[in-house]
């Protein structure tokens, strides 16, 4: 049972002008696809060959001999989660249960925005910024490289990819501008709300 590349949940041009079709095309078609291909090559014929993706991630985490498997598997999962963390016409403050949880954890939506942007901006090198649920409370975190909340007893609600390949074609070195645009025009709060309810 090979791992397959899920299609983008929208057309490649759907997030323009905030994220270009070029960026999404390379990011999904080349980077995400490469993680899928590498993972399949690594697990072929092994005891992980027929294991679901989330189990592969959990079984390979913190095992030095399985680092390559973990990195590729977590990157496959993280990217799929990232595509769904955005939508055409997204952005702005949420409403409903997620809004109440944000107020409870951060004091205000504005405080959450600052925390999320700061996490993404201060992630040194490649990685991810996240909104997660930990012990029933929302929290903003950042992870390096392929690291992912599910191996830290956290449920991911939203993520933004801060690897340079996510924004360099559109924003060059201006990661903070990309994070600002993500929150103002792209973030998919319905997805976060659905994850909260899981
Ligand atoms: Fe990426």
């Amino acid at each position: 049972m090979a791992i397959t590349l899920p299609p983008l949940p929208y057309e490649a041009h759907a997030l323009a002008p905030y994220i270009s079709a070029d960026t999404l095309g390379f990011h999904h078609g080349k980077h995400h696809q490469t993680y899928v291909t590498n993972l399949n090559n690594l697990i072929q014929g092994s005891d992980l060959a027929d294991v679901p993706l989330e189990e592969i991630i959990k079984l390979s985490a913190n095992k030095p001999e399985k680092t390559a498997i973990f990195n590729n598997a977590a990157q496959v999962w993280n990217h799929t989660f990232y595509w769904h963390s955005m939508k055409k016409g997204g952005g702005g403050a949420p409403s409903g249960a997620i809004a109440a949880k944000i107020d409870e954890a951060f004091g205000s939506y504005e405080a959450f925005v600052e925390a999320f942007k700061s996490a993404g901006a201060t992630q040194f090198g490649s990685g991810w910024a996240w909104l997660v649920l930990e012990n029933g409370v929302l929290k903003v975190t950042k992870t390096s490289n392929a690291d992912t909340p599910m191996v830290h007893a956290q449920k991911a609600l939203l993520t933004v990819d801060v690897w340079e390949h996510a924004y360099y074609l559109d924003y060059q070195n201006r990661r903070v501008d990309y994070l600002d645009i993500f929150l103002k025009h792209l973030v998919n709060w319905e997805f976060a709300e659905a994850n909260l309810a899981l």
Side-chain angles (χ1 to χ4, degrees):
M1 183 184 68
I3 302 294
T4 53
L5 178 71
L8 283 174
Y10 31 69
E11 298 295 319
H13 55 77
L15 306 184
Y18 308 115
I19 292 182
S20 65
D22 263 0
T23 291
L24 278 187
F26 279 110
H27 200 173
H28 177 258
K30 303 292 184 190
H31 291 277
H32 198 178
Q33 176 65 67
T34 297
Y35 296 126
V36 171
T37 303
N38 288 346
L39 178 60
N40 282 323
N41 289 336
L42 286 162
I43 62 175
Q44 194 175 26
S46 81
D47 55 348
L48 295 176
D50 294 316
V51 173
L53 181 62
E54 293 199 11
E55 288 306 306
I56 294 174
I57 294 168
K58 289 171 184 167
L59 291 169
S60 60
N62 302 311
K63 293 194 175 137
E65 73 281 11
K66 289 193 164 68
T67 298
I69 291 174
F70 174 80
N71 284 341
N72 284 283
Q75 283 294 80
V76 171
W77 192 92
N78 290 347
H79 279 88
T80 302
F81 197 82
Y82 168 60
W83 308 136
H84 288 275
S85 293
M86 303 184 286
K87 67 171 192 174
K88 184 182 178 67
S95 56
I98 193 87
K101 292 289 274 185
I102 283 175
D103 286 346
E104 177 190 319
F106 303 99
S108 67
Y109 179 70
E110 291 68 30
F112 156 76
V113 165
E114 284 315 305
F116 193 80
K117 281 163 65 172
S118 172
T122 60
Q123 171 53 39
F124 185 75
S126 297
W128 303 81
W130 304 86
L131 177 64
V132 302
L133 189 68
E134 184 182 70
N135 297 324
V137 178
L138 296 196
K139 192 173 165 185
V140 165
T141 65
K142 56 186 176 181
T143 60
S144 293
N145 299 318
D147 197 14
T148 192
M150 79 175 76
V151 299
H152 300 284
Q154 296 164 335
K155 184 201 281 188
L157 303 182
L158 271 182
T159 195
V160 63
D161 187 344
V162 295
W163 285 58
E164 277 191 348
H165 65 227
Y167 60 88
Y168 206 83
L169 292 178
D170 299 324
Y171 297 93
Q172 293 78 53
N173 62 322
R174 291 175 286 115
R175 188 191 286 186
V176 173
D177 291 356
Y178 157 70
L179 291 166
D180 194 52
I181 291 288
F182 175 88
L183 289 168
K184 282 183 177 157
H185 299 287
L186 297 171
V187 63
N188 181 354
W189 285 116
E190 288 77 13
F191 179 62
E193 179 102 23
N195 289 324
L196 184 65
L198 283 177

